[in-house]
Amino acid sequence: MRDDDTGTGPAPPGDADPGTGVGTPGDTAPGTAGAGTRCLVTGATGYIGGRLVPELLAAGYRVRCLARTPGKLRDVPWAGEAEVVRGDVTDRASLAAALRGVDVAYYLVHALGTGVGFEDTDRRAARLFGELARSAGVRRIVYLGGLVPAGVPEHALSPHLRSRTEVGRILLASGVPTTVLRAAVIIGSGSASFEMLRYLTERLPVMVTPNWVHTRIQPVAVRDVLRTLVGSARMPAGVNRAFDIGGPEVLTYRQMMIRYAAVAELPHRFVVPIPVLTPRLSGYWVGLVTPVPASIARPLTESLRHEVVCREHDIARYVPDPPGCPLGFDEAVRLALRRIQEAQVATRWSNASVPGAPSDPLPTDPDWAGGSLYTDLREQPVDASRERLWQVVEGIGGEHGWYSFPLAWSVRGLLDRLAGGVGLRRGRRDATRLRAGDSLDFWRVEEIEPGHLLRLRAEMRLPGLAWLEMYAETDGAGRTRYRQRALFHPHGLLGHLYWWGVSPFHAVVFGGMARNIARAAANATAPAGPGRRARPRAARGRK
């Protein structure tokens, strides 16, 4: 199962306002609403879950997080305040243990709606969750699903939205009082839906678009979604139903792009819809134009075929709207852009693991099964302090690039996207700092030891498993050294052929990378104080 939120309605969630917080509903003072109440958050490594946990903690709830890879939560700001347990919603034993002693359980996971059988996986997981929650005495389940189009039979919905609807129905029938929140496009920094909107608008002054740009949508700011999620924990026991949640405006996707351009102070955008772009083709098109890969863009665009507008606002009876809420579209966009400009994006759509990404142990781990292993080791003396070298290492990727043969990296990223992978355009969550679990272009941070080691696991499409390790070290004479190790564990004959096919380029790609990282550290200007990083003068294209 994916620990993420890219499936909430036609497009997934966005941003909170860290300056004000989402607060707690009614007159309850922050930090007291959840006194003594334990909440389980599934999907805490994902987009919405990663933002919900600190809001629950701020409201006074005790929080337990269920994660397949607890290490991804090791470096989050709230790591010391929440309990983290290893498990999966499809595993009976680990899920039963996670639900023990829980009062409110948040269901924020789903299988990505592109693989064969994902609907069955969603179905089985929801049934197991409801069954075990009932056995554990959980008093409420809260689920974030998608807004259902009025008058459209379920079989006519996109598979993505149809599965979200079925999961909500299963949880409502579980015997545990359940709150199902149904949202359409949720606006905020770092969400797949916002990235789609942002990059389509910023990169294309004249946009040739599918017909779904005329679909009417009721977007909602993620701070309103988070406020409602937190408030739902205190609903009366007799409430067992779905609620529509949305912002104050109904807009077409075309209007959203034009309004985004105005808020971002871009020139007027011209939108020309054409009928030949089906939802499937437009998913590939979005995947090429934006950082959102086609595997995620496709189910999102398929869900935009139908109008998604709230038919009621009954949620306000239980989670009252404070003054100024829900936020309008322009203000939600303005907040999201400010978070991006201030490098305060708490979570991103890419927080979640890519479907099918490898989870096998590193070949140096004790439980590695063995087999062929190829390595490329590079070492380079550095005429700079170890701290300066680490600043360059931790700042790698994203806008800084990979310090060697930019064309080769770009071509590899393009080939990966054409093969349905994530490509290079995921970038970084934060321009200066990394933490375990962060996505980094087509890598993911598997391990980070500040000042010493950065280990990346490849999430590009490969016939095997790959890692890239970067070390900042000091030798016996007290001199700084940079050590770099690439590892590849091939799968089958194709894996071996792949390694030998690309190995002639390693001297340029990996050798140039080691030399240029060392040069960038030596040439860095101006000391980097807290929150500031020295930018290297070394050109990314040097070999």
Side-chain angles (χ1 to χ4, degrees), residues 289-313:
V289 175
T290 78
V292 181
S295 58
I296 293 175
R298 187 163 60 248
L300 300 184
T301 55
E302 285 175 349
S303 295
L304 291 171
R305 291 179 298 173
H306 305 293
E307 181 177 285
V308 276
V309 176
C310 297
R311 285 165 284 177
E312 42 84 11
H313 190 53

Side-chain angles (χ1 to χ4, degrees), residues 362 364 376-382 385-387 389-394 396 447-456 467-474 479-487 513-514 517-518 521:
L362 184 74
T364 52
D376 182 280
L377 180 63
R378 309 278 169 170
E379 294 189 1
Q380 193 75 26
V382 181
S385 68
R386 181 170 161 178
E387 291 74 18
L389 172 60
W390 178 253
Q391 290 167 0
V392 176
V393 169
E394 192 180 6
I396 201 165
E447 183 58 71
I448 183 168
E449 298 175 14
H452 174 55
L453 164 67
L454 175 62
R455 179 185 299 139
L456 306 176
W467 292 262
L468 178 62
E469 294 181 328
M470 290 168 275
Y471 295 85
E473 299 178 330
T474 305
R479 295 168 299 194
T480 303
R481 289 191 68 82
Y482 171 70
R483 183 159 62 93
Q484 175 182 294
R485 186 172 68 144
L487 302 98
M513 182 177 176
I517 285 177

